Amino acid sequence: MITAIVMVHTAADRIPETAQAIADLDGVSEVYSCAGDVDLIAVVKVTAHEELADVIAGRLSKVAGVVRTDTHIAFRSYSSTENDAIFTAGME
C-alpha cells in the first residue's frame, strides 16, 4: 500500500464542502480539517504509484474549493495503540 499525505489549501468559505467532496473520492481514506498553514490534510492510499496521479492530480486537485496542494509520500508507517486511542477518543 502506498500512502500519500496531501496538504490542501482551500477557499476559506468552502472548507466543509471541499473536505466532504475530497473524502468521497476513491483512494482517499481520511480528511482532517486543521489549524495551521493548511486547511485540510487528506490521506490517500493506493496500490500503485501511477494511481497517485489519478487520485491527486486527476481528481482531488480539481475539487471545487481546492486552491493548492502539497503532497508527501510516506516511506514507512509507525504507530502504537496509545496513539491510535488518542485520535479515536470519544468516537465510540
Side-chain angles (χ1 to χ4, degrees), residues 3-32:
T3 301
I5 295 89
V6 184
M7 311 301 185
V8 184
H9 299 265
T10 68
D13 62 340
R14 296 209 29 97
I15 292 172
E17 297 87 356
T18 303
Q20 189 59 59
I22 292 171
D24 291 341
L25 295 174
D26 287 339
V28 175
S29 64
E30 304 159 74
V31 178
Y32 299 95

Side-chain angles (χ1 to χ4, degrees), residues 50-63:
E50 295 79 17
E51 293 177 76
L52 290 173
D54 294 335
V55 175
I56 299 167
R59 290 183 270 143
L60 189 152
S61 66
K62 295 177 181 175
V63 167

Side-chain angles (χ1 to χ4, degrees), residues 73-85:
I73 307 298
F75 293 129
R76 288 192 178 129
S77 174
Y78 302 89
S79 66
S80 69
T81 306
E82 296 80 26
N83 286 342
D84 292 343

